[in-house]
């Protein structure tokens, strides 16, 4: 069951915490939150039935519900500001992933939580075992400098390498070989179009073409279209009012009562 494609017409809840409208949007919020100074982080999973109580507890402890004025005041006082983000878990349909991010400063969040430093190569902010936030160097032709972006973690990238190689090396009936490779490349193209991921996609596409050439005389069946990338035209930048946490939890719980075929 997938709970990442939210219904377009969903009654707004009353909870203060808003849920991004898609996984790509959630990745973007995480990136921008860290980029703006909240690089101390921890993460985990919470059952959907406990998510509202969990968020309310962190609001009481760490002021994750503070508005812009209160956050500015806390910053002037040398206090840490905290942000909580939740999103449905891809493989555990009754749970939500959560990330707690904080700025440097005094406060309970640094005293009570074991926070990692997202700027450190060994403590990068991650999405499960799939993606991680890192800084990459921009090309001189686009201004140079370093910028934050998502990329596949080492193990996830190695798994894609193995999948691409196996699909490209397959020998047998020619049409079947093409279909197998095209299915793999189609899945690869669906990864979120952040710069770091696109660099890895390009390397994997080059690997697929090289392996196909070694094992087949037929032309490489891969598409020559450019890889999709994120810019201000994409939906994750222009969404309706995001779903509130209590509305999301109610929807997930209703979904669990439906027969599997109806989900």
């Amino acid at each position: 069951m997938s709970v990442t494609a939210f219904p377009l017409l969903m009654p707004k809840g009353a909870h203060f915490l808003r849920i991004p409208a898609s996984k790509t949007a959630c990745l973007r919020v995480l990136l921008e939150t860290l980029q703006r100074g909240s690089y101390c982080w921890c993460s985990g999973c919470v059952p959907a039935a406990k998510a509202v109580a969990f968020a309310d507890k962190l609001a009481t402890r760490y002021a994750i519900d503070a508005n812009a004025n209160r956050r500015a005041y806390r910053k002037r006082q040398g206090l840490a500001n905290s942000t909580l983000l939740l999103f449905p878990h891809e493989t555990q349909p009754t749970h939500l992933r959560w990330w707690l991010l904080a700025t440097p400063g005094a406060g309970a969040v640094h005293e009570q939580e074991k926070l990692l430093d997202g700027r450190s190569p060994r403590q990068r902010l991650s999405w499960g075992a799939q993606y991680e936030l890192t800084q990459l160097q921009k090309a001189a032709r686009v201004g140079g400098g370093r910028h934050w972006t998502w990329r596949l973690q080492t193990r996830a990238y190695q798994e894609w390498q193995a999948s691409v190689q196996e699909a490209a090396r397959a020998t047998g009936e020619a049409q079947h070989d093409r279909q197998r490779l095209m299915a793999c490349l189609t899945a690869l193209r669906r990864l979120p179009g952040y710069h770091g991921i696109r660099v890895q996609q390009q390397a994997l596409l080059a690997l697929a073409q090289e392996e196909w050439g070694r094992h087949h005389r037929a032309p490489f069946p891969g598409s020559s279209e450019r890889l999709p990338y994120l810019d201000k035209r994409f939906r994750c930048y222009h969404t309706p009012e995001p779903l509130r946490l209590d509305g999301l939890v109610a929807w997930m719980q209703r979904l669990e009562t439906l027969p599997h075929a109806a989900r």
Side-chain angles (χ1 to χ4, degrees), residues 19-241:
I19 305 298
S22 66
K23 181 176 178 178
T24 301
C26 189
L27 288 167
R28 187 68 192 183
V29 174
L30 285 168
L31 185 155
E32 292 180 347
T33 302
L34 182 142
Q35 189 177 44
R36 292 168 181 165
S38 298
Y39 51 78
C40 307
W41 71 282
C42 60
S43 66
C45 255
V46 61
K50 298 181 179 179
V52 172
F54 174 71
D56 290 343
K57 179 179 71 173
L58 295 194
T60 301
R61 288 184 179 181
Y62 310 139
I64 62 169
D65 58 341
N67 60 23
N69 289 344
R70 187 179 176 193
R71 288 177 181 273
Y73 178 79
R74 289 175 61 86
K75 183 178 179 180
R76 290 182 61 182
Q77 299 300 309
L79 300 174
N81 281 312
S82 302
T83 301
L84 178 66
L85 196 68
L86 292 101
F87 197 79
H89 199 291
E90 304 96 316
T91 59
Q92 299 181 50
T94 59
H95 286 63
L96 293 101
R97 294 187 185 274
W98 63 264
W99 296 264
L100 177 64
L101 298 94
T103 62
V109 66
H110 289 284
E111 297 167 2
Q112 299 182 25
E113 303 290 342
K114 294 182 179 179
L115 300 177
L116 303 174
D117 187 338
R119 302 169 301 175
S120 169
R122 295 186 178 183
Q123 299 181 25
R124 293 188 175 111
L125 195 154
S126 62
W127 183 292
Q130 192 174 13
Y131 303 116
E132 64 182 8
L133 265 179
T134 187
Q135 285 188 301
L136 294 182
Q137 181 70 34
K138 286 185 178 180
R141 67 177 182 276
V142 293
R146 297 177 67 80
H147 70 293
W148 287 100
T149 186
W150 288 98
R151 72 177 180 187
L152 290 164
Q153 295 184 42
T154 301
R155 178 67 178 271
Y157 182 74
Q158 291 172 343
E159 290 173 352
W160 269 108
Q161 281 183 315
S163 179
V164 165
Q165 286 178 319
E166 184 176 347
R169 291 173 179 175
T171 57
E173 198 275 319
Q175 183 63 25
H176 175 75
D177 292 347
R178 284 194 293 271
Q179 291 174 346
R180 182 175 180 180
L181 178 59
M182 289 305 298
C184 179
L185 298 185
T186 297
L188 177 63
R189 285 177 171 273
R190 288 176 180 160
L191 298 179
Y194 293 95
H195 176 226
I197 296 174
R198 290 178 73 245
V199 170
Q200 294 172 312
Q201 287 173 308
Q202 289 165 352
L204 290 168
L205 287 171
L207 174 64
Q209 188 166 4
E210 179 183 350
E211 292 293 338
W212 177 269
R214 288 179 178 175
H215 296 84
H216 301 270
R217 293 183 179 181
F220 180 65
S223 172
S224 60
E225 297 178 7
R226 293 184 63 184
L227 290 168
Y229 64 95
L230 289 177
D231 63 18
K232 298 296 183 181
R233 297 171 297 174
F234 278 68
R235 185 174 179 269
C236 73
Y237 289 95
H238 306 281
T239 58
E241 176 68 15

